[in-house]
Amino acid sequence: MLSDQELFRYSRQLLLENLDISGQEQLKKSRVLIAGLGGLGSIVAMYLAGAGVGCLVIVDGDEVDITNLHRQVLYKEADVGLDKSKAAQKNLLELNSEVDILTFDRALDSENILSVLKEVDIVVDSTDNYTARYNLNRACLSLGIPMVSASAQRFEGQITIINPALGGPCYRCLYTDDSQHEALSCSEGGILSPILGVLGSLQAFEVVRFLCNFEKALVDSILFIDLLTLDFRQVKYSAKKDCPDCSRLRG
Ligand SMILES: [Zn+2]
């Protein structure tokens, strides 16, 4: 049940027929894990906290650096040197004190990932490397949790959703060889922050779409975005028969 205060606070999004009070109640009882609190995770975390998702599990093992601030808009100058997860928790609670913010101040690895993902409804992959994404992909497949994955560099980025319940392709079906697809990091290739705003916003939207059961989702396809040319291109892809991560789940 929503309190009068909550009905008023979220009244502008409650006006949407797709969301309504039942959708808001669904957001309130949901738990979303955000892996990586950089440029993408900053945006996702702020929008989901603002929207009233009941519990956010936020994960990052790094500290805030001055070179992060141009794009990781969740942090302020006073946060430089602090653990990202703790600084993010403080700033998100200032935005919405009603949301539970659980922190995990280490990177996810094969040892800890299954316990951290326990009871999570959906995972946001806002990490910055393929090892982390493969770990998330495998864990989400084994637990049956959907994952909204995005990445960006320079002026470009991409987003897709892996949903094991639908039996579609997984992240490893898209990227089968990490050595060929290792992206440049922001410190190597550079990045203009609005591309992170676009993709982080899309990730937040897809989370709300999944939790509130809107119609169509970005499953079985990947959306490529190039802000320089304003090219938005959605490309279908399918599961690989010999995928090392998901083929055995399909039998
Ligand atoms: Zn696969």
Side-chain angles (χ1 to χ4, degrees):
M1 283 287 287
L2 299 173
S3 65
D4 288 347
Q5 195 181 5
E6 288 170 318
L7 290 171
F8 183 63
R9 177 175 188 135
Y10 303 114
S11 58
R12 301 305 189 265
Q13 64 190 39
L14 289 174
L15 286 170
L16 298 166
E17 59 189 28
N18 294 32
L19 205 131
D20 209 342
I21 291 176
S22 61
Q24 191 66 49
E25 287 173 339
Q26 190 58 41
L27 292 181
K28 187 180 178 181
K29 65 183 183 188
S30 295
R31 177 181 291 220
V32 178
L33 182 136
I34 302 172
L37 297 168
L40 292 169
S42 284
I43 300 291
V44 180
M46 286 193 290
Y47 272 132
L48 295 184
V53 169
C55 179
L56 296 179
V57 184
I58 57 173
V59 179
D60 202 301
D62 290 340
E63 294 179 353
V64 181
D65 185 87
I66 189 75
T67 62
N68 298 151
L69 297 186
H70 83 110
R71 67 188 186 282
Q72 301 183 15
V73 293
L74 179 54
Y75 309 110
K76 304 169 179 26
E77 288 182 358
D79 297 325
V80 171
L82 301 178
D83 286 346
K84 281 188 178 175
S85 60
K86 295 295 180 217
Q89 181 187 45
K90 171 179 70 73
N91 294 338
L92 291 168
L93 286 172
E94 286 180 8
L95 170 63
N96 191 345
S97 58
E98 298 298 315
V99 175
D100 285 334
I101 310 285
L102 308 180
T103 62
F104 191 76
D105 63 0
R106 278 175 291 149
L108 295 176
D109 57 34
S110 51
E111 298 287 310
N112 59 33
I113 195 165
L114 289 177
S115 60
V116 178
L117 260 63
K118 204 175 164 192
E119 295 177 3
V120 164
D121 295 295
I122 185 167
V123 165
V124 175
D125 162 30
S126 40
T127 60
D128 60 0
N129 66 84
Y130 280 91
T131 304
R133 291 189 193 119
Y134 288 152
N135 276 337
L136 278 174
N137 182 58
R138 276 191 294 273
C140 286
L141 287 171
S142 71
L143 296 171
I145 302 173
M147 173 172 94
V148 185
S149 181
S151 62
Q153 60 175 317
R154 295 169 51 79
F155 310 97
E156 303 122 41
Q158 58 196 56
I159 174 172
T160 188
I161 298 173
I162 312 299
N163 191 341
L166 301 179
C170 79
Y171 192 82
R172 196 70 184 256
C173 294
L174 259 182
Y175 296 110
T176 51
D177 183 348
D178 50 1
S179 62
Q180 285 181 25
H181 297 284
E182 195 65 50
L184 291 173
S185 69
C186 294
S187 60
E188 294 166 315
I191 191 158
L192 201 62
S193 53
I195 185 64
L196 295 159
V198 172
L199 282 155
S201 299
L202 284 170
Q203 284 184 292
F205 182 83
E206 292 300 327
V207 167
V208 173
R209 184 209 294 276
F210 171 79
L211 294 175
C212 297
N213 205 19
F214 294 179
E215 290 167 20
K216 187 175 174 291
L218 194 66
V219 175
D220 298 352
S221 65
I222 183 165
L223 177 64
F224 294 96
I225 298 174
D226 183 340
L227 288 189
L228 272 187
T229 57
L230 284 180
D231 183 40
F232 286 58
R233 196 161 35 98
Q234 196 171 334
V235 178
K236 289 273 177 198
Y237 67 101
S238 50
K240 287 208 162 60
K241 278 191 183 134
D242 57 349
C243 173
D245 286 354
C246 74
S247 57
R248 64 194 158 75
L249 297 173
R250 288 194 299 277

